[in-house]
Amino acid sequence: QKLEDNDVDSSLYYDYKALNISKENANVEQQVESYIRLIYGEVRMGNSTAALEHYKNAHALISDDIHSDNNIILEMYYAAIYAQLGLISKSMKILTETNKLILPTTSKAILMDFHYYLASLYHDLNDLDNCRNHLKKSIEYSREDKKNKRKVFKSYLLLSNTYIEVDSAMFYIKKA
């Protein structure tokens, strides 16, 4: 079950437990995954200080494998921390750099999220053309990953909000 389906406090509690177990077992990959889940939870709770600390810890563990899916996710969440703080240009810079890490082997689910996050930032900057382009890319990747219907819905909904014309907005709302 995904974090967004759970109570964030409970998720954080178990993510901290998982981190401690992965440290006891000296399992670096599980530590990174635990830090990523902790970052996500702390961002949702509005605790950017804790999220940044988890980012630093995770980043130190995976600095050699910069093209890994976990590193790309980590950088997306790093950008989300700054977006939450209202530092959209810093967040955009992080995602622009993260784009250079993406390889043909990067998972479709990560590409879907990446383009959604980028579109959200363009939306915040009122750059609706770039917002639409990245939302359409996110939706395209989602067609290849059928498990993410909720994310597809969010992409279509945000896309509908980029149009003033009722017909265009309704077209994407109906697709959602």
Side-chain angles (χ1 to χ4, degrees), residues 32 68 157 163:
V32 170
S68 71
L157 195 58
Y163 289 94

Side-chain angles (χ1 to χ4, degrees), residues 16 61 68 106 112 135 149:
Y16 277 108
L61 292 171
S68 71
T106 302
M112 180 179 56
L135 285 169
K149 291 180 182 177

Side-chain angles (χ1 to χ4, degrees), residues 42-109:
E42 296 292 3
V43 166
R44 290 200 50 198
M45 294 293 288
N47 191 351
S48 55
T49 304
L52 281 169
E53 190 62 34
H54 297 315
Y55 168 81
K56 289 175 191 172
N57 292 333
H59 192 266
L61 292 171
I62 60 173
S63 58
D64 329 346
D65 192 10
I66 63 168
H67 295 286
S68 71
D69 283 357
N70 275 342
N71 191 50
I72 293 168
I73 293 168
L74 182 63
E75 294 302 316
M76 286 190 305
Y77 288 170
Y78 185 47
I81 296 166
Y82 283 101
Q84 182 181 57
L85 293 170
L87 301 170
I88 304 301
S89 59
K90 171 108 173 141
S91 185
M92 183 67 78
K93 183 178 178 185
I94 293 167
L95 286 183
T96 301
E97 290 300 312
T98 302
N99 191 39
K100 296 174 186 174
L101 304 177
I102 293 174
L103 298 173
T105 56
T106 302
S107 82
K108 303 300 181 206

Side-chain angles (χ1 to χ4, degrees), residues 127-140:
D127 184 345
L128 299 182
D129 289 335
N130 276 319
C131 176
R132 289 178 191 130
N133 290 337
H134 286 283
L135 285 169
K136 289 175 182 175
K137 287 179 185 178
S138 178
I139 291 165
E140 189 61 38

